[in-house]
Amino acid sequence: MTTPRPLAVVTGASSGIGYELAKLCAEHGYDLAIAADEASIVEAKQAFEGLGAQVRALQTDLSTEDGVQDLLDLIGDEPVEILCANAGHGLGHGFLDQDWKAARHVVDTNITGTLFLVHNIAGGMRSRDRGRILFTGSIAGLMPGTFQAVYNGTKAFVDSFSFALRNELKDTQVTVTCLMPGPVDTEFFERADLMDTKVGQDKKSDPAKVAKTGFEAMMKGEGDVVAGLKNKIQAAIAAVTPQTQLAEMHRGMAEPGSGKQ
Ligand SMILES: NC(=O)c1ccc[n+]([C@@H]2O[C@H](COP(=O)([O-])OP(=O)(O)OC[C@H]3O[C@@H](n4cnc5c(N)ncnc54)[C@H](OP(=O)(O)O)[C@@H]3O)[C@@H](O)[C@H]2O)c1
């Protein structure tokens, strides 16, 4: 008889940072419950099974309570050892030029769906007095996101919430870590229609390296980690720069047409 492997739940595991986080979990001896909103989650499942993990995969929209509930049902009563609350997406253009439903989807995915999932899973962790939670926040949460205003606001929420929950759980063995990347080379910018912007076209971090940084910080139980030296400097600058100036700086990065072509 083989000893059962602990369970890691990773949202947004079909691509980018979430894919790499799920891969790391599989490589470190965890079974997986993974979710994303497109059919490519099935290909990710097969890849992680190839690493020896038992994998349950679900295609579901995590912006809705029903969609999150489907993931909770998939997990059932099984204790969750690791939760990587990673699913999220951005949305470029000026707020007033965005489609309202698309803007709301950013909030519902990045904030509401994430909170509903964590509220359910972290309760079990607290009762068992063990578990690790990793939020994928962002250094975008440290600055007003002109031409990506809703997204940056959601990441400010996630960054802030992660620290607060960590403090609320400080007398338990449940750790909460916030991974705060800068721009990462994933499908994020294409999906957010930011490819004609400076930030969309600039060089970006490798998602595998970013995920490794977050995974290691989570395993050490650290509070937060900014991935990459350049981003650490940017985060330090953001902490001492007036918000109006940060908002203007963000315009230079995210204004439609600010890229080279
Ligand atoms: N890329 C960056 O520069 C950057 C920087 C800082 C933070 N982040 C954060 O990192 C996280 C992962 O993004 P990424 O860069 O790896 O981008 P990505 O390659 O686009 O991956 C996003 C993942 O989230 C899933 N997802 C998005 N909305 C969902 C929804 N409503 N329901 C279910 N799944 C959903 C996607 O699923 P499908 O593929 O099925 O759509 C995909 O698996 C996000 O929270 C993002 O905000 C990204």
Side-chain angles (χ1 to χ4, degrees), residues 17-86:
I17 300 167
Y19 181 93
E20 299 295 340
L21 284 171
K23 189 173 167 213
L24 284 164
C25 290
E27 287 169 350
H28 284 77
Y30 292 82
D31 282 337
L32 291 167
I34 55 173
D37 63 356
E38 284 173 23
S40 55
I41 195 69
V42 176
E43 287 151 43
K45 176 185 189 307
Q46 286 161 358
F48 304 141
E49 282 170 344
L51 297 171
Q54 300 244 17
V55 186
R56 279 166 277 175
L58 182 70
Q59 184 183 351
T60 187
D61 183 355
L62 294 168
S63 75
T64 69
E65 277 193 26
D66 286 349
V68 175
Q69 188 60 52
D70 287 345
L71 175 58
L72 293 167
D73 292 344
L74 185 79
I75 300 162
D77 292 335
E78 195 170 332
V80 176
E81 185 68 24
I82 286 179
L83 169 59
C84 296
N86 166 81

Side-chain angles (χ1 to χ4, degrees), residues 9-261:
V9 175
V10 185
T11 64
S14 62
S15 64
I17 300 167
Y19 181 93
E20 299 295 340
L21 284 171
K23 189 173 167 213
L24 284 164
C25 290
E27 287 169 350
H28 284 77
Y30 292 82
D31 282 337
L32 291 167
I34 55 173
D37 63 356
E38 284 173 23
S40 55
I41 195 69
V42 176
E43 287 151 43
K45 176 185 189 307
Q46 286 161 358
F48 304 141
E49 282 170 344
L51 297 171
Q54 300 244 17
V55 186
R56 279 166 277 175
L58 182 70
Q59 184 183 351
T60 187
D61 183 355
L62 294 168
S63 75
T64 69
E65 277 193 26
D66 286 349
V68 175
Q69 188 60 52
D70 287 345
L71 175 58
L72 293 167
D73 292 344
L74 185 79
I75 300 162
D77 292 335
E78 195 170 332
V80 176
E81 185 68 24
I82 286 179
L83 169 59
C84 296
N86 166 81
H89 68 96
L91 186 65
H93 297 275
F95 174 61
L96 298 180
D97 299 320
Q98 291 174 341
D99 172 68
W100 165 245
K101 287 209 168 93
R104 184 174 168 167
H105 198 265
V106 177
V107 177
D108 290 344
T109 303
N110 300 6
I111 299 182
T112 315
T114 299
L115 286 188
F116 186 51
L117 182 69
V118 172
H119 195 259
N120 278 277
I121 291 181
M125 287 180 172
R126 184 175 63 174
S127 310
R128 290 188 303 279
D129 200 22
R130 60 176 294 137
R132 299 175 193 279
I133 300 169
L134 179 69
F135 287 97
T136 307
S138 176
I139 64 165
L142 306 176
M143 57 198 92
T146 312
F147 296 108
Q148 235 217 137
V150 175
Y151 173 75
N152 282 40
T154 65
K155 289 295 160 175
F157 182 98
V158 172
D159 294 350
S160 163
F161 180 80
S162 178
F163 283 106
L165 183 64
R166 176 180 174 82
N167 192 273
E168 289 179 17
L169 293 171
K170 72 175 184 178
D171 296 327
T172 75
Q173 295 302 310
V174 182
T175 61
V176 183
T177 304
C178 189
L179 167 61
M180 297 163 79
V184 188
D185 193 6
T186 69
E187 294 172 22
F188 178 92
F189 295 92
E190 184 113 37
R191 288 175 191 207
D193 198 16
L194 285 162
M195 292 311 285
D196 67 338
T197 65
K198 183 172 184 317
V199 68
Q201 294 176 10
D202 276 357
K203 193 171 179 306
K204 301 182 182 57
S205 309
D206 173 0
K209 283 194 190 149
V210 171
K212 186 166 180 283
T213 302
F215 185 83
E216 287 173 355
M218 171 183 70
M219 295 312 271
K220 285 188 208 147
E222 289 171 356
D224 66 313
V225 62
V226 176
L229 178 64
K230 197 173 154 217
N231 299 318
K232 283 190 174 73
I233 294 167
Q234 209 183 341
I237 291 171
V240 294
T241 307
Q243 296 281 309
T244 46
Q245 219 172 309
L246 290 171
E248 186 61 28
M249 279 164 60
H250 205 279
R251 166 184 287 270
M253 293 192 291
E255 185 168 15
S258 56
K260 285 198 192 92
Q261 66 260 339

